[in-house]
Amino acid sequence: MSIYKPVIGLEVHVELNTKSKMFCSCSADYFGKAPNTHTCPVCLGLPGALPYANKEAIRKCIQIGLALNCTISEDSLFERKNYFYPDLAKGFQISQLRWPLCVGGEIEVESDFGEKSLIRINRVHQEEDTGKLSHLGGVTLIDFNRSGVPLVEIVTEPDFTDSSQIRDYAKKLQQIFRYLGVSNADMEKGDMRLEANVSVREVKSEEGRGTDFELPNYRVELKNINSFRFIVAAVEFEIKRQINALEAGEKLHQETRGWDEDKKETYLQRSKEEANDYRYFPEPDLPGIKNQELRIKEIQDGLPELPSARIKKYIDQYGISKTTAETLVADESLAELFDGAVKLGLEENVPVKEVANYLVNSPTLASHLKGGKLNISPDEIVQAVKEKKSGKIEDEGELEKIAQEVISENEKSVNDYKSGKESAIMALVGGVMRKTSGKANAIRVKQILERLLL
Amino acid sequence: MAITDLTLVQTIKALKDKQFSNEELNQAYLNRIKRYNPELNAFFEVNESSGVIPAAVKSLISTKGLKTSAGSKIIENYKPPFNATVIENLISEGVSVIGKTNQDEFAMGSSGENSAFGSTKNPWDLKKVPGGSSSGSAAAVAADLAVFALGTDTGGSIRQPASLSGVVGLKPSYGRVSRYGAIAMASSLDQIGPFAKSVGDARLILEWISGGDKYDSNCVAEKFKIQNSKFKITDQNLKDVRVGVPEEYFGQGLDEGVKEVIEKAIKKMEELGAEIVEVSLPNTKYGVAVYYIIMASEVSSNLARFDGIRLGGPRDLFGDEPKRRIMLGTFALSSGYFEDYFIKAAKVRTLIKKDFEKAFASCDVIVGPVSPTVAWNLGEKIDDPLKMYLSDAYTIPASLAGIPGLSLPAGFSENLPVGLQILGKYMDEETVLNVGEVLEKALNIKEKPRLR
């Protein structure tokens, strides 16, 4: 029996959260709005209308590229991708193919087995979204509110070998988008969409671990799958289906497949013979994009500290565990809160590790990770840690030792207590508190004293 | 002198001097339209309520609430919900649209015969074509059915009908005038410009319609301003002007009669003090081929929006010429052919642009014929698309280079008008217009078409 290895590449579309659309000044906030209210001649593709590019979107696309360690192209062009579809107002989509804004990046992913690998990013480019079709009974309605909303597409090399890497990659991208503040990256609302190209190859025994192997001569595109969970399921199904087919001696073909959630299997949507020739060519209505070094540097300098760098800093400098570090960078507001508390804590001699542990175990964080607000300030965190610290002498043995000392030094109070004057014990408690500089819990001290004086 | 004989500049002065009212002005033009349009077929639609200075506008330029069919059945009844930028500019200058003019379907043609609604006739001879694609706009100005008109020029569609119909026609530099609202044929070539009764009129109209527009990202030029360049318009000579004459524009295919008129005009320029310089534009011979690849490629994409879903009818309503160009362009962009056709054409386009840059190092303007022939008979070339394409060989190179070009009435051959083409450096409409105006005065052509 042969050994097969999956070869998977991903295409991620992310909708930017700019105020206006990519090529006109209509509002890009279309979610839940009355159909066809955010439209104009440009995004409706009316005859004679021309596009004008949204500079903020281009800036955000470059931010994503930089966050993924891409090179930003000095000269970039918009291009037209020509195809007919009812949701495509102009009969072409303004996109990029030969002259993308960002090329050649990489990102580290980790599989469920803890194996780390680098995924190469082929390109990050700018394009526009299409309108939205709703099929209602016998009719199809078109809503152009989404038409022209800025989309960024991130295309990887076929470097994934299992579905847990895909999950990690998507999670990391989502985190980056949110840190950069370029998108809400909400999968459920369609802010972020995934497509996978899946094939499997037979592994030869002499092969090394690199990416230096021949790609299979086919690939299956998993498309139009609007849930993250489903795409992972579809990839897993595909890998099994393809291996079984190859084992049975079948030849696999280039095709597009969808996901049937009821049957839990992929199904054929389009074979290669029906594939589109998109006839890309430079968009003549838009001038080229010149990215000068200075501008790129200015964008680079304005980037926030990204999750991967933060995790590394937390582990290396603060000595926090990897799991804790990962929890603390889950989103930027949390990481910012932590950083704020750390800074404040240093001024008041509160160790970073204690701040981290407090935050990770706090109930507000648990609720925040489920979507709730982070209703705690850095100062409150530091004070809470300090309070906890002030009651820190919890070691029973140590407290008992101090209590014994106080008992032997205060014969009068002991006798008073033993003769029935219960309040006399408070003088002993006060003695213990003085000796511990207040770092003991008075109630517990009292309990210990009562036990010792029985 | 009739009101409708006046140039735009004269009309404005007469209105200011209260020689006649806006109503009288409009009525005079509407009367002529009523009388002559039925046989000329220059207008698709007449706007009786126009009111101020009446201009004719090519059908494909979007006019809010007025039919903008682009000469095509596919959007026969389309009324845009917005005005093209040039229309907004004109309105703010006190100009109104008296009517939308006939044209070749989606600006594809050199004779006006590709209109889905019948050809426009040449006012000089009703058996002849008026030229195209801005056929109705040229004929309307030639026949005094409007004070001036707007057209579009992609490969010669203003200059060629201006030449064949005996009026002034200006294609501005690419990017001088906003294209927003002009239904696109080929986006990297299309440019809106005026048809006028005089060069001075064209200058004024250019000032009105030009200037950067946020709705057209390729239109970043400053507004064209009427001003004096290195020589004064009032100087009635061409002293210190170097006039380039390219040998490539006088070769095989150029009618003897046309050649004579052009040579006489060049002689006149010399008499006016111009220095005549021989220049070479060696890549001219590739112009038509390059143009038909780039233009058709853009056409195939630009016309995709007419898919019958949001506006207009099904795609089989396209006429033969749009279908032909969609097919050509789709082929040129197809995988496996893109490099050999589109990319190669784009490279040669750069060479053509460089030809002009080199030539303009030794001259201020380049002159030659607009069209190799005078207006031909209706129906003569309609079955031979290639022959029709070749009639644009002298106008196409300037379109590919994005430079300005003027067609100036220079004389007659076979009793039909002949236009002289004056090309200028990129964004130097000023020199082109100044040279044109001095020559216009010197040539002093007074003939008008005799309409019955």
Side-chain angles (χ1 to χ4, degrees), chain A residues 293-339:
Chain A
E293 217 174 296
L294 204 70
R295 174 177 144 83
I296 298 166
K297 195 180 173 303
E298 176 244 322
I299 298 176
Q300 175 96 59
D301 291 347
L303 289 185
E305 193 173 25
L306 292 167
S308 54
R310 275 198 147 112
I311 291 176
K312 196 170 168 347
K313 182 176 86 181
Y314 292 174
I315 296 172
D316 295 353
Q317 291 182 19
Y318 299 165
I320 296 170
S321 77
K322 182 165 163 284
T323 325
T324 306
E326 279 173 0
T327 308
L328 288 171
V329 302
D331 64 65
E332 205 189 3
S333 60
L334 180 60
E336 287 292 322
L337 175 68
F338 173 62
D339 283 355

Side-chain angles (χ1 to χ4, degrees), chain A residues 1 8 23 38 46 50 67 70 74 82 123 128 130 148 160 170 172 175 178 202 216 225 247 251 314 318 338 451-452:
Chain A
M1 212 180 103
I8 307 164
F23 299 112
H38 290 190
L46 291 189
L50 300 170
C70 289
E74 242 175 86
N82 296 285
R123 53 162 60 235
E128 57 175 337
T130 62
F160 295 90
K172 283 190 168 134
Q175 233 174 37
R178 289 179 178 168
E202 203 179 326
I225 302 174
E247 288 276 283
K251 202 172 164 343
Y314 292 174
Y318 299 165
F338 173 62
R451 183 158 47 82
L452 292 174

Side-chain angles (χ1 to χ4, degrees), chain B residues 207-221:
Chain B
E207 184 179 86
W208 286 346
I209 63 175
S210 64
D213 180 18
K214 78 159 191 161
Y215 293 109
D216 177 355
S217 306
N218 290 336
C219 180
V220 290

